[in-house]
């Protein structure tokens, strides 16, 4: 009788050990994305200056002057995390802040939002959905009708 109890305890402990070790392997294999980009932060994007220049259509405009650290990320794959802001029925941006506190409402500057162009079909996303995206970074210092920052060829790596 004593041997059966000891054998049962050993079997139960062995099964518990196996169940914990197999769960870790499965979750790591399926939830860790393979990421090729370099993380870009909102703090880095906020390190920007502006200068007044004449624009043929709008008159005097505050044009961005992007710093060298941000310029070094240009045309490279990057990762950025933030809140989804719908621009229209087919266009999205990612923001440092939720929609109610985005720069449209005067709560932040235009450097706190990044335009997104998705690879393939544009997914259906929800306002304020928190995501991490990967794509090719570009900055804009001259086109007053475009975002200062954009990420092209975007894929969602977390939060979809």
């Amino acid at each position: 009788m004593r041997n059966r109890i000891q054998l049962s305890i050993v079997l139960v402990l062995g099964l518990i050990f196996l169940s914990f070790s197999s769960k870790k392997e499965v979750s790591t294999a399926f939830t860790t994305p393979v990421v090729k980009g370099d993380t870009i932060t909102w703090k880095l994007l906020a390190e920007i200056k502006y200068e007044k220049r004449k624009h043929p259509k709008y008159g005097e405009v505050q044009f961005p002057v992007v710093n060298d650290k941000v310029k070094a990320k240009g045309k490279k794959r990057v990762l950025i995390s933030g809140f989804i802001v719908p621009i229209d029925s087919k266009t999205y941006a990612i923001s440092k802040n939720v929609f109610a506190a985005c720069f449209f409402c005067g709560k932040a500057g235009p450097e706190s939002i990044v335009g997104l162009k998705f690879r393939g079909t544009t997914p259906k996303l929800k306002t304020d959905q928190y995501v991490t995206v990967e794509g090719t970074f570009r900055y804009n210092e001259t086109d007053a009708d475009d975002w200062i920052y954009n990420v092209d060829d975007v894929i969602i790596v977390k939060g979809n």
Side-chain angles (χ1 to χ4, degrees):
M1 176 81 168
R2 188 174 196 191
N3 286 342
R4 282 187 188 177
I5 293 173
Q6 288 175 339
L7 181 60
S8 296
I9 291 172
V10 169
L11 287 173
V12 168
L13 290 174
L15 288 173
I16 291 171
F17 175 78
L18 285 174
S19 70
F20 280 122
S21 64
S22 65
K23 282 182 185 176
K24 286 181 185 173
E25 289 175 25
V26 170
S27 65
T28 302
F30 292 105
T31 61
T32 305
V34 177
V35 177
K36 298 177 186 171
D38 188 17
T39 301
I40 197 163
T41 65
W42 293 107
K43 182 178 179 182
L44 176 62
L45 295 180
E47 294 175 18
I48 192 168
K49 296 182 184 202
Y50 296 91
E51 67 181 21
K52 287 182 184 179
R53 286 189 268 157
K54 292 283 185 192
H55 187 277
K57 186 176 175 182
Y58 302 117
E60 197 169 85
V61 174
Q62 292 277 0
F63 281 92
V65 179
V66 176
N67 73 53
D68 290 339
K69 289 184 273 183
V70 173
K71 285 182 179 181
K73 306 268 186 191
K75 298 182 182 176
K76 293 184 180 171
R77 296 294 288 180
V78 298
L79 291 166
I80 188 163
S81 297
F83 299 94
I84 290 295
V85 174
I87 305 306
D88 58 34
S89 63
K90 298 178 184 177
T91 310
Y92 295 102
I94 191 169
S95 176
K96 173 184 174 184
N97 303 313
V98 295
F99 185 74
C102 78
F103 97 96
F104 300 120
C105 303
K107 304 286 184 183
E111 71 281 351
S112 67
I113 198 161
V114 174
L116 301 176
K117 289 191 179 152
F118 287 91
R119 178 187 294 174
T121 306
T122 302
K124 296 282 184 194
L125 299 168
K126 295 178 183 173
T127 301
D128 293 339
Q129 180 178 346
Y130 191 82
V131 297
T132 300
V133 298
E134 178 187 345
T136 305
F137 180 73
R138 71 182 160 89
Y139 59 90
N140 164 37
E141 295 179 298
T142 58
D143 185 353
D145 293 318
D146 195 7
W147 304 109
I148 298 171
Y149 304 122
N150 289 278
V151 179
D152 301 323
D153 192 35
V154 170
I155 57 172
I156 297 173
V157 295
K158 189 176 180 183
N160 56 342

